[in-house]
């Protein structure tokens, strides 16, 4: 999460030449057969591209499967050694890369960490980011937003590390945002959010309060970059 120090107060649309940049930690579904994760290592150098060896974009083979292939170069870190590997794998229904390719965004897999793909993404606005998150959810990927900033390099921003927020807290706060809990005036209440999540109202309140506290503490202690 981030608050731009130079943008207009209350502006959250991402318009006016101020894109949103986010870092996502993504754990694809176990059936994704991700070649990058199958390389079994830690990497800070990843180059990835989708290719269409036989058919054009959006087309399928005679069997009805997606004909795209994922081509990646990964520099794996192991002790004092660095090993470069060129990897190729078929695209499956659980692959995350087509989600980025089909969304209006700029994305780059920057690293592999703890069996998660670390992806930096730039989008025009929050609506596009929500669309991207829904797309990743549709392929059963688990996603954590590590940070979110507004603006380009000329904009003074505060980056907030959200990695301390648990998955349950993140789900609660994302649901609250989607349902309008933080709008002025509010368009939903804790009871409605509890019904949506299938938990008690007190549990929703606790998760939101804990997440909000962590965000405020991170905002107050992070440096301006």
């Amino acid at each position: 999460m981030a608050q731009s120090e130079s943008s207009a107060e209350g502006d959250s649309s991402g318009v006016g030449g101020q894109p949103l940049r986010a870092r996502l930690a993504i754990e694809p579904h176990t059936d994704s057969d991700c070649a990058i994760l199958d390389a079994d290592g830690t990497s800070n150098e990843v180059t990835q591209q989708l290719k269409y060896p036989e058919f054009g974009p959006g087309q399928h083979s005679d069997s009805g499967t997606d004909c795209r292939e994922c081509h990646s170069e990964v520099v794996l870190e192991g002790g004092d050694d660095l090993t470069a590997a060129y990897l190729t794998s078929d695209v499956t229904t659980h692959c995350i890369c087509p989600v980025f390719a089909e969304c209006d965004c700029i994305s780059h897999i920057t690293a592999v960490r703890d069996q998660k793909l670390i992806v930096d993404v730039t989008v025009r606005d929050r609506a596009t980011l929500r669309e991207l998150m829904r797309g990743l959810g549709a392929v059963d990927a688990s996603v954590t937003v590590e940070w979110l900033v507004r603006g380009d390099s000329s904009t003074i921003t505060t980056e907030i590390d959200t990695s301390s927020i648990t998955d349950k807290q993140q789900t609660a706060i994302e649901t609250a945002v989607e349902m309008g809990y933080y709008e002025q005036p509010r368009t939903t209440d804790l009871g409605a959010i509890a019904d949506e999540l299938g938990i008690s109202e007190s549990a929703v309140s606790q998760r939101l309060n804990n997440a909000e506290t962590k965000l405020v503490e991170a905002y107050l202690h992070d440096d301006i970059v």
Side-chain angles (χ1 to χ4, degrees):
M1 302 283 180
Q3 173 67 45
S4 173
E5 301 294 340
S6 61
S7 60
E9 183 179 355
D11 176 22
S12 62
S13 64
V15 297
Q18 291 192 346
L20 292 175
R21 294 183 292 119
R23 173 162 293 173
L24 310 178
I26 306 173
E27 184 176 359
H29 189 276
T30 53
D31 291 339
S32 67
D33 297 326
C34 179
I36 299 175
L37 293 181
D38 289 343
D40 192 23
T42 298
S43 173
N44 289 318
E45 295 184 42
V46 181
T47 303
Q48 183 272 345
Q49 182 180 10
L50 290 177
K51 295 185 178 181
Y52 305 85
E54 297 179 4
F55 300 86
Q59 295 182 326
H60 297 76
S61 66
D62 293 338
S63 63
T65 60
D66 197 321
C67 68
R68 287 176 288 190
E69 291 180 347
C70 180
H71 293 248
S72 308
E73 181 182 8
V74 182
V75 178
L76 299 171
E77 302 175 2
D80 296 330
D81 299 328
L82 296 177
T83 303
Y86 187 89
L87 311 171
T88 302
S89 62
D90 293 331
V91 171
T92 72
T93 56
H94 292 289
C95 285
I96 68 168
C97 294
V99 177
F100 289 97
E102 294 163 7
C103 185
D104 184 16
C105 69
I106 301 171
S107 63
H108 175 54
I109 300 176
T110 61
V112 179
R113 183 204 318 143
D114 299 328
Q115 284 296 291
K116 295 181 180 179
L117 299 173
I118 309 304
V119 183
D120 287 356
V121 60
T122 301
V123 296
R124 295 180 184 273
D125 49 38
R126 291 184 184 274
T128 305
L129 183 59
R130 287 195 291 269
E131 176 187 349
L132 175 62
M133 298 293 283
R134 284 193 292 268
L136 292 170
V139 296
D140 299 318
S142 174
V143 186
T144 300
V145 180
E146 294 197 341
W147 51 253
L148 173 65
V149 298
R150 178 182 304 286
D152 55 27
S153 59
S154 63
T155 302
I156 299 175
T157 62
T158 299
E159 294 187 0
I160 297 179
D161 184 0
T162 64
S163 58
S164 63
I165 295 178
T166 67
D167 291 341
K168 290 182 179 179
Q169 291 167 359
Q170 180 172 327
T171 298
I173 203 165
E174 287 177 350
T175 302
V177 170
E178 290 284 347
M179 296 181 66
Y181 183 75
Y182 294 104
E183 294 180 6
Q184 295 294 332
R186 286 178 174 171
T187 58
T188 192
D189 57 22
L190 292 176
I193 298 173
D195 290 340
E196 178 69 18
L197 295 175
I199 58 178
S200 68
E201 188 172 328
S202 61
V204 171
S205 178
Q206 182 179 24
R207 292 178 188 181
L208 291 180
N209 287 336
N210 288 340
E212 291 162 0
T213 298
K214 291 176 181 179
L215 289 173
V216 172
E217 290 177 347
Y219 178 80
L220 293 176
H221 290 89
D222 278 8
D223 295 328
I224 295 177
V225 297

